[in-house]
Amino acid sequence: MSSELLKWRKRVFPFDSGGFVQGRYSAWLHRSMELHEFDITRLPDCARRFVPSFYATHLDYLTLQPRRPTIPYADFYQVEALVAMLTDTDASKADDRRFIVELQVEQPIPFEWPFVRGLILPQQLRATSFVSTFLKGPGRGVKVRYFHCSPNKVALEYQGLLEHLALQLQKEWRML
């Protein structure tokens, strides 16, 4: 997706808000903490500022290699909780939704270029009419990467493959 979508933000959270509501982050957050305390929407450059605050590079963010913020944050309990949550390597406490930046928008996102910058699709969809129609019309300019599906692969194998293809696209766009 294009970073232009940040202009449409309604709310931005430094993790998946559904995971918060479901109590998935209770190992790091005090039970009296409320979701609105983590709403970073009011900061004009919130989404762009989050990654450099907790990660040395965008690649570190994408490969889940956080660091403690370089700016002092004592007495900011929400930041202390985020640091604890992001730097904890115990995957049994919560899934990887704790590592994302959630962008909520007020209007539907047009599924077209330039809002959609890239797609990763199964090879079996390459010759379909709806994909070719999209790429000749509203998707003209969208970069597409295809992968092969196999009935013998488990979902975890596909996740690694999709992450690899997404990193390739981001390197092409000089985002990393």
Side-chain angles (χ1 to χ4, degrees), residues 125-156:
L125 296 179
R126 186 177 217 144
T128 62
S129 61
F130 64 89
V131 170
S132 61
T133 300
F134 171 74
L135 295 175
K136 290 177 186 172
R140 183 173 299 173
V142 172
K143 298 269 185 186
V144 183
R145 294 293 176 271
Y146 295 96
F147 65 94
H148 293 278
C149 291
S150 167
N152 297 325
K153 284 188 180 175
V154 295
L156 191 58

Side-chain angles (χ1 to χ4, degrees), residues 3 5-15 38-55 58 61 82 100-104:
S3 62
L5 294 175
L6 293 174
K7 295 176 186 174
W8 297 5
R9 72 182 182 272
K10 178 178 179 181
R11 280 186 294 274
V12 181
F13 292 99
F15 46 65
F38 293 92
D39 185 341
I40 58 176
T41 311
R42 62 182 160 64
L43 303 170
D45 58 346
C46 55
R48 286 190 175 102
R49 202 161 151 194
F50 177 79
V51 171
S53 294
F54 293 95
Y55 301 87
H58 283 92
Y61 170 68
L82 285 173
I100 63 105
V101 177
E102 178 180 292
L103 172 67
Q104 297 176 6

Side-chain angles (χ1 to χ4, degrees), residues 76-92:
F76 287 94
Y77 302 113
Q78 293 83 2
V79 176
E80 290 178 12
L82 285 173
V83 168
M85 185 165 54
L86 296 175
T87 58
D88 190 340
T89 57
D90 184 355
S92 68

